[in-house]
């Protein structure tokens, strides 16, 4: 076994305090870097985890975010509605309609699992963090307030010029083109005048012209035999 090396110099009492004071003296001569918040806003990265925004149009009430949340701080209520068939002869369908979507940020630990598991991109991170409240009950943000946070969500970074277009863009464009074509067809049908059928006309009965009988000349009487003589 080898013995551990011993320090060559001996430390005198108070040497650690002197070193600490030396660091303090050196730092006192430097310029301060403390940001005076809130007069000076912090420069946060664009994808900072500040608050969660809700894009309600993409939500299908699949309840996946509420089930995966480890803090159970997401509350969702919905009801079912019957949708008429899209084409004549089709069958009716039922869909879930969102009634309530709330997040209790007093319980949220900002793990981002709800955003990652959402299959329809209905939840987004916003860098806004100034939503402190004096009452803890006000930290439960309902869907109207969550929708307002969507206006603070930064735009996604630009794609590489040679990158392939995402499948979501192509599907959304195809759906939008189909809807626009259907609306244009309905507008053209509504603007087109309905053809009017001519009413059937009955032929007027024709009266036969009266025919006059031709005058007949009296035939001469034949002489009798005695008169001829």
């Amino acid at each position: 076994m080898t013995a551990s090396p011993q320090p060559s110099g001996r430390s005198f009492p108070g040497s650690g305090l002197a070193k600490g004071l030396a660091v303090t003296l050196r730092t006192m001569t430097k310029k301060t870097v403390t940001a005076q918040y809130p007069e000076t806003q912090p420069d946060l990265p664009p994808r900072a985890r500040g608050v969660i925004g809700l894009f309600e149009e993409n939500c299908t009430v699949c309840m996946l975010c509420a089930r995966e949340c480890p803090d159970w701080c997401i509350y969702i209520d919905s009801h079912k509605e019957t949708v008429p068939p899209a084409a004549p002869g089709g069958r009716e369908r039922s869909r879930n309609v969102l009634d309530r979507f709330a997040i209790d940020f007093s319980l949220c630990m900002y793990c981002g699992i709800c955003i990652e598991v959402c299959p329809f991109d209905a939840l987004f991170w916003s860098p806004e963090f100034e939503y402190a409240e004096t009452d803890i009950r006000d930290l439960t943000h309902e869907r109207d307030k969550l929708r307002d946070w969507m206006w603070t969500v930064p735009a996604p970074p630009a794609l590489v010029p040679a990158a392939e277009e995402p499948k979501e863009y192509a599907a959304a464009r195809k759906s939008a083109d189909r809807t626009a074509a259907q609306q244009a067809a309905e507008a053209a049908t509504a603007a087109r005048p309905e053809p009017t059928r001519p009413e059937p006309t009955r032929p007027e009965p024709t009266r036969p012209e009266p025919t006059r009988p031709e005058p007949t000349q009296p035939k001469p009487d034949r002489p009798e035999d005695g008169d001829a003589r």
Side-chain angles (χ1 to χ4, degrees):
M1 296 178 64
T2 59
S4 58
Q6 298 292 332
S8 57
R10 294 182 178 180
S11 60
F12 59 89
S15 60
L17 177 61
K19 292 179 180 179
L21 291 176
V23 175
T24 303
L25 292 175
R26 286 197 304 269
T27 308
M28 288 176 61
T29 59
K30 295 181 180 180
K31 185 179 180 181
T32 179
V33 292
T34 303
Q36 300 299 325
Y37 177 82
E39 287 78 10
T40 303
Q41 292 291 328
D43 187 13
L44 299 176
R47 292 296 172 183
R49 298 185 176 187
V51 71
I52 298 175
L54 170 66
F55 191 59
E56 188 176 339
E57 286 74 7
N58 287 0
C59 181
T60 60
V61 201
C62 64
M63 305 292 291
L64 193 58
C65 56
R67 290 197 298 265
E68 297 294 332
C69 178
D71 291 336
W72 290 83
C73 62
I74 301 177
Y75 313 110
I76 300 177
D77 294 331
S78 65
H79 70 278
K80 288 188 177 182
E81 287 185 356
T82 303
V83 182
R91 63 177 182 178
E92 296 180 347
R93 296 180 301 169
S94 62
R95 67 172 180 178
N96 291 327
V97 180
L98 184 65
D99 293 331
R100 185 195 182 199
F101 195 107
I103 299 178
D104 188 357
F105 286 102
S106 65
L107 299 177
C108 179
M109 64 179 184
Y110 302 89
C111 62
I113 293 178
C114 58
I115 298 177
E116 295 296 331
V117 302
C118 180
F120 300 103
D121 292 335
L123 298 174
F124 296 88
W125 278 118
S126 168
E128 294 294 328
F129 62 94
E130 296 179 324
Y131 52 92
E133 301 288 349
T134 57
D135 191 351
I136 194 173
R137 291 171 294 183
D138 295 335
L139 286 175
T140 302
H141 294 185
E142 299 292 337
R143 67 175 185 175
D144 294 337
K145 196 168 185 178
L146 294 175
R147 184 181 181 87
D148 293 339
W149 290 123
M150 279 299 301
W151 298 104
T152 62
V153 174
L159 298 176
V160 179
E164 183 180 356
E165 185 182 30
K167 297 180 180 179
E168 292 82 3
Y169 286 3
R173 187 181 300 107
K174 185 177 180 180
S175 178
D177 294 344
R178 189 188 306 111
T179 304
Q182 184 178 1
Q183 292 177 354
E186 292 177 356
T189 305
R192 186 183 306 168
E194 296 182 359
T196 57
R197 295 181 178 180
E199 297 182 358
T201 56
R202 296 181 179 179
E204 297 182 357
T206 56
R207 297 180 180 179
E209 296 182 358
T211 56
R212 295 181 180 178
E214 295 182 358
T216 56
Q217 296 180 359
K219 295 181 180 181
D221 296 338
R222 278 182 166 186
E224 297 180 357
D225 295 340
D227 296 339
R229 286 179 184 176

